[in-house]
Amino acid sequence: MEHTHRGLAPSTRILLTVAAAVVALAGVHAARGVFGPIALGAVIVIIVLPLRAPLVRRGWPSWLANTVVIVAAYVILAILLAMLVYAGIQFGDLVAQHVDDLRRAATDLTDRLTDLGLQASTADDAARWLDPSKLLSIGTKISGTAVSVAGAFFFVLAYVIFMAADAARYSHARGLFGATRGPVIDRATAFNDGVRRYFVVNASFGAVVAIVDGLALWLLDIPAPAVWAILAFVTNFIPNIGFVLGLVPPAVLALVVGGWPLALAVVAIYCVVNVVLQVLVQPKFVADTVNLSLTLSFASVVFWTFVIGPLGAILAIPLTLLLRTLVLEPDPGAGWLRWLSGDPGARDPGPAPEAEPVSASGRDPEPAQDAG
């Protein structure tokens, strides 16, 4: 009697993979206060590291080139931190100044929706967006992100110093290990390039959106247009749903200070500007940059926000790219999953070779004898 060697059943492999992923992600969630700033620091370092090589080629001392990289990383983080702190403080002051107006607007909205035939519970849920405590929770999330950015300063300092010291060694990796570790080096290089291009594209579109939205709100005489411009810029790094997050606070404030006509004007401007740029144009550039499907981009925001908090919304795409680089790309049999994730370079490796039959005794079957 002969049989073939078999591995684990597909269902067992799936269950073990899911169990391992749950354990790993539970650990990340438990350490999100540390993991989030480290991830942000790593992303900033990836963005600014290319500044070092051209400076060294021009004859700059290695220590001076490393200093430029460190300063550039801290400038980016300082600007981001300053914007978030300013936006959070101004937003809290605005809500405090308009508490009574917000409550009156909430009551008016509830009455209007009830008159239109909606159930009282549905009307209350809609009016809850005008509740000052609800709006203050948004400011709290902004402040929480600012705290994460501040925490990243320490990790960026240590990370950049150590990485810069090893940069000369890493630059020789391909020459030393290209024959045996070439695919690994290629995947790491592609991941770094993808992260850089993603943030360059998002920052470019975010700057345009923030300027246009800020000017429009200033012309409409909406209080603190600079705050909403900053919010539009930051939420532009949140795929798919960033537009909605950036729209709600200024629209609510417009409703309070100018009534429904002003609120509808703000919504109309945001829909024209943000939908055209963020929903129709930008996703195409982002998809071509990082090769992630729109569905996966949207799901990654929800997933990573749950795992590491508000900072996960901004880091969703880099973290998803990292998972694909570490888990799917090294596996020749994961071409189908890579293709589903949006990777156009994924290919079917073809059918797996069949296992050689083995006799029941454990010895290879003896070759058949010729009849003659």
Side-chain angles (χ1 to χ4, degrees):
M1 178 178 176
E2 294 183 353
H3 66 278
T4 58
H5 288 297
R6 296 181 181 273
L8 296 174
S11 58
T12 304
R13 291 198 300 269
I14 292 174
L15 289 176
L16 289 176
T17 301
V18 172
V22 168
V23 172
L25 292 171
V28 172
H29 179 73
R32 60 189 179 276
V34 175
F35 180 84
I38 289 178
L40 178 62
V43 167
I44 298 296
V45 168
I46 289 173
I47 293 172
V48 301
L49 185 60
L51 295 175
R52 183 183 185 278
L55 295 178
V56 173
R57 285 197 300 268
R58 293 180 180 181
W60 286 40
S62 180
W63 66 268
L64 186 55
N66 294 341
T67 303
V68 171
V69 172
I70 295 173
V71 171
Y74 269 78
V75 167
I76 293 176
L77 278 174
I79 292 173
L80 180 60
L81 180 62
M83 289 193 306
L84 291 174
V85 170
Y86 172 77
I89 293 174
Q90 292 296 317
F91 186 73
D93 290 342
L94 286 172
V95 172
Q97 293 173 12
H98 296 88
V99 168
D100 294 335
D101 295 332
L102 287 168
R103 288 173 177 165
R104 282 195 297 270
T107 302
D108 179 64
L109 179 60
T110 302
D111 295 339
R112 287 175 178 270
L113 294 177
T114 303
D115 293 339
L116 292 175
L118 293 179
Q119 295 181 353
S121 59
T122 304
D124 290 338
D125 291 338
R128 194 168 292 123
W129 282 99
L130 298 175
D131 188 354
S133 61
K134 178 72 174 180
L135 295 176
L136 283 174
S137 69
I138 299 176
T140 302
K141 291 181 180 180
I142 296 175
S143 301
T145 304
V147 171
S148 298
V149 173
F153 269 94
F154 168 78
F155 294 106
V156 169
L157 176 61
Y159 189 78
V160 172
I161 291 175
F162 298 148
M163 182 191 61
D166 291 334
R169 291 177 56 247
Y170 294 156
S171 64
H172 301 296
R174 188 175 298 278
L176 295 173
F177 301 100
T180 56
R181 298 296 179 181
V184 177
I185 298 173
D186 291 340
R187 288 195 294 270
T189 303
F191 167 74
N192 291 342
D193 291 342
V195 170
R196 289 189 202 102
R197 291 196 303 267
Y198 168 74
F199 278 100
V200 168
V201 169
N202 269 20
S204 301
F205 277 94
V208 174
V209 169
I211 292 173
V212 175
D213 287 345
L215 289 175
L217 295 176
W218 176 70
L219 292 174
L220 291 174
D221 202 23
I222 303 296
V227 173
W228 314 127
I230 292 173
L231 185 62
F233 177 78
V234 173
T235 55
N236 190 70
F237 290 94
I238 303 175
N240 303 110
I241 62 174
F243 156 67
V244 178
L245 298 177
L247 166 64
V248 171
V252 169
L253 188 60
L255 174 63
V256 171
V257 299
W260 287 103
L262 187 58
L264 293 177
V266 171
V267 172
I269 291 173
Y270 266 70
C271 287
V272 172
V273 175
N274 296 47
V275 169
V276 170
L277 290 177
Q278 290 183 302
V279 179
L280 299 180
V281 180
Q282 182 177 339
K284 174 60 178 174
F285 283 87
V286 171
D288 293 341
T289 299
V290 299
N291 295 324
L292 283 180
S293 67
L294 295 178
T295 302
L296 182 59
S297 299
F298 174 77
S300 66
V301 174
V302 179
F303 176 78
W304 287 111
T305 301
F306 169 76
V307 173
I308 64 173
L311 200 57
I314 297 176
L315 299 176
I317 298 299
L319 291 175
T320 303
L321 288 176
L322 179 63
L323 273 184
R324 188 172 71 180
T325 301
L326 296 177
V327 178
L328 297 184
E329 292 183 3
D331 185 0
W336 168 244
L337 294 177
R338 288 174 54 194
W339 182 83
L340 286 178
S341 72
D343 186 355
R347 296 292 182 269
D348 187 356
E354 295 183 359
E356 294 291 336
V358 179
S359 63
S361 62
R363 296 190 301 270
D364 292 337
E366 296 183 4
Q369 300 293 330
D370 291 339

